[in-house]
Amino acid sequence: MFEYVKNDTGGGFPVTKELKATEGSYEVGDALALDAETGLLKIAAGTVKPQYISAAKKTVTAEDAILAVNPVYEGQEWKAKFSVDGSAVKVGSKVTIDTTGRQVTATTTGGVFLVTENLGTEAVGKFM
């Protein structure tokens, strides 16, 4: 799960919006992006830069497709666990997001999460 840490531009905690999402189960802290074809939110994984972070634990259905989310803005820092051993990941590296959209990997090819602090099993960083 991606946990809000701070905003370098001086703003407080992220605002919450409600947007339509694809059917499925979401957890607080899931990385999300808008699907270009459907216009609905879906899990952001791999090299997809998140536009939103889920603010709710919810099973989205066709009848109830609204999900509370926090927009991702420039300057925000987020914390997430590594899905693998991330001890060798250097500060300044950009890593990818795992397939669940809840953790970061140690893969730097096409990375979208700039590591600003490596905490061993977790990383603090910004989406780039």
Side-chain angles (χ1 to χ4, degrees), residues 98-117:
D98 79 343
T99 58
T100 68
R102 296 178 181 146
Q103 299 179 324
V104 293
T105 71
T107 303
T108 56
T109 303
V112 294
F113 187 77
L114 175 69
V115 177
T116 58
E117 190 175 355

Side-chain angles (χ1 to χ4, degrees), residues 14-67:
V15 297
T16 302
K17 293 184 173 188
E18 291 185 333
L19 299 174
K20 288 186 176 181
T22 56
E23 292 182 38
S25 295
Y26 297 92
E27 297 287 333
V28 172
D30 285 355
L32 306 168
L34 288 170
D35 184 304
E37 292 180 22
T38 66
L40 301 174
L41 290 172
K42 66 177 185 177
I43 293 293
T47 60
V48 176
K49 179 183 172 186
Q51 297 163 289
Y52 300 92
I53 302 295
S54 175
K57 178 179 180 172
K58 182 176 180 179
T59 299
V60 171
T61 64
E63 295 80 28
D64 185 14
I66 300 297
L67 183 66

